[in-house]
Amino acid sequence: MKAPLPARTTLLADIGGTNARFALLTDGKLSTIAHTAVSNHGTFPEALAAYLGDRAKAGAIQHAILAASGPVQNGRCALTNNSWVIDAEQLRGAHGFSSVRLINDFEAVALALPHLAPGSLLQLGGRDRVAGAPLAAIGPGTGLGMAALISHADRQIVLSGEGGHSTMAGGSLREDAVIAHLRQRFGHVSSERLLSGAGLENLHDALASVDGVTVPKRHAADITCAAIEATCATSRAAVDMFCAMLGSVAGNFALAVGARGGVFIGGGILRHMPDYLAASQFRMRFEAKGRLRTFLEPIPAYLILDDDVAFTGLRALMEVDGLG
């Protein structure tokens, strides 16, 4: 009688600017995804050690595939919106992993797109996807992530970058005034300076200044609550402008990559307010591209409702790497 094959375990992780998520995949079965706040740990190795506990002994886990919210260069990522640094070689040596794969977090989201069930998506206008056409993922959370998935022959190629740091353009005189106000503070005003958690707070403060009103300082979650409950006109104006500007940026991205396969909105902010987003100017601004309106009108946009979508992408990457 043959002895059973030893269990094969891979560490999966999605590391954002605010939250870190960990799970173990053992012989095709995913453990419960553990969530922790980045602020609970001084460094990524500390957070990983806290998650692994006594499973950290060398050889217990063979592989690691990690998605991180920042540019990845030579197996290393200094996260854009916190002080953590993730180094694949350091992790390999510390934990005895046979392999460590480190990718940008929105690369993982893009890889997940073909595998998302209809129930995990809310369509925001447009018609049907064009089979084989590029798919685009964009997501306001702690930062603003972007990536595209392109089919080529029998392969799928992820085009990831740092598009969230491209220069933000206003779509109205009021938006121009808000951007001009923020330029005095930041110099360069990127899309992420407006379309992120901190960006929503920047919008709220800038609108109060432009309108000459005094409002209390609010965190992003409080701004969205006040907007939904209609208890603060400035908060509502900030969320309205946030949705409209996101529509413009998402439409720009769709034009840039020819995303006739669909544009998918991830990130942690809008998932909690789907009805508000659907009723906002998002779709109108997505299509408002002059002569190219007819190109954008049929492109469907979707809000991703799955909080752990990156893990779907990480598992897809495992298949590509032959680890699944």
Side-chain angles (χ1 to χ4, degrees):
M1 182 176 180
K2 292 183 179 180
L5 293 172
R8 183 167 60 176
T9 299
T10 300
L11 168 72
L12 303 180
D14 175 25
I15 313 302
T18 302
N19 296 296
R21 301 171 174 87
F22 300 96
L24 294 175
L25 187 71
T26 302
D27 291 342
K29 294 182 180 180
L30 189 68
S31 69
T32 299
I33 297 171
H35 296 228
T36 186
V38 168
S39 59
N40 289 343
H41 306 278
T43 67
F44 174 74
E46 289 175 12
L48 178 59
Y51 169 70
L52 292 177
D54 59 10
R55 293 168 295 195
K57 59 186 179 183
I61 300 169
Q62 292 75 43
H63 307 285
I65 303 182
L66 317 172
S69 58
V72 177
Q73 294 181 311
N74 300 318
R76 186 177 185 274
C77 178
L79 273 71
T80 304
N81 289 298
N82 65 49
S83 62
W84 281 11
V85 175
I86 304 175
D87 187 293
E89 192 60 35
Q90 185 271 331
L91 294 175
R92 187 181 294 111
H95 297 282
F97 299 138
S98 298
S99 67
V100 178
R101 182 78 177 268
L102 180 60
I103 64 173
N104 177 264
D105 60 340
F106 258 75
E107 186 174 345
V109 174
L111 286 164
L113 299 181
H115 307 283
L116 297 181
S120 66
L121 299 170
L122 172 66
Q123 188 162 349
L124 303 165
R127 297 193 283 277
D128 298 323
R129 308 182 204 178
V130 175
L135 311 176
I138 179 172
T142 306
L144 179 64
M146 294 186 189
L149 187 69
I150 299 169
S151 296
H152 177 68
D154 59 347
R155 298 177 56 213
Q156 290 182 323
I157 301 168
V158 176
L159 180 64
S160 69
E162 292 297 323
H165 297 277
S166 59
T167 305
M168 186 70 203
S172 67
L173 292 176
R174 184 164 168 78
E175 289 180 5
D176 291 345
V178 165
I179 293 170
H181 176 83
L182 292 174
R183 192 175 293 121
Q184 296 175 14
R185 177 179 172 190
F186 296 111
H188 177 248
V189 180
S190 66
S191 298
E192 181 169 296
R193 289 293 190 193
L194 297 155
L195 300 176
S196 61
L200 183 56
E201 295 167 10
N202 291 337
L203 275 173
H204 177 269
D205 295 347
L207 280 166
S209 179
V210 167
D211 292 340
V213 298
T214 301
V215 293
K217 283 277 189 182
R218 288 189 167 97
H219 294 299
D222 299 322
I223 294 169
T224 56
C225 285
I228 293 168
E229 296 169 1
T231 56
C232 170
T234 300
S235 294
R236 193 168 185 90
V239 177
D240 286 346
M241 187 172 286
F242 184 98
C243 293
M245 286 179 157
L246 180 63
S248 288
V249 172
N252 289 344
F253 193 26
L255 287 175
V257 300
R260 294 183 298 152
V263 175
F264 298 77
I265 312 299
I269 295 175
L270 296 167
R271 191 178 298 120
H272 304 293
M273 45 187 294
D275 294 338
Y276 197 110
L277 177 63
S280 74
Q281 290 190 350
F282 169 85
R283 186 70 206 192
M284 183 272 286
R285 290 283 292 272
F286 179 88
E287 296 177 1
K289 303 298 181 187
R291 293 172 293 171
L292 269 293
R293 174 185 292 275
T294 54
F295 178 86
L296 289 165
E297 281 176 344
I299 294 178
Y302 304 90
L303 177 63
I304 301 172
L305 303 175
D306 182 359
D307 188 41
D308 296 313
V309 61
F311 286 87
T312 301
L314 292 173
R315 295 188 70 170
L317 183 59
M318 286 183 62
E319 298 293 333
V320 173
D321 286 353
L323 300 177

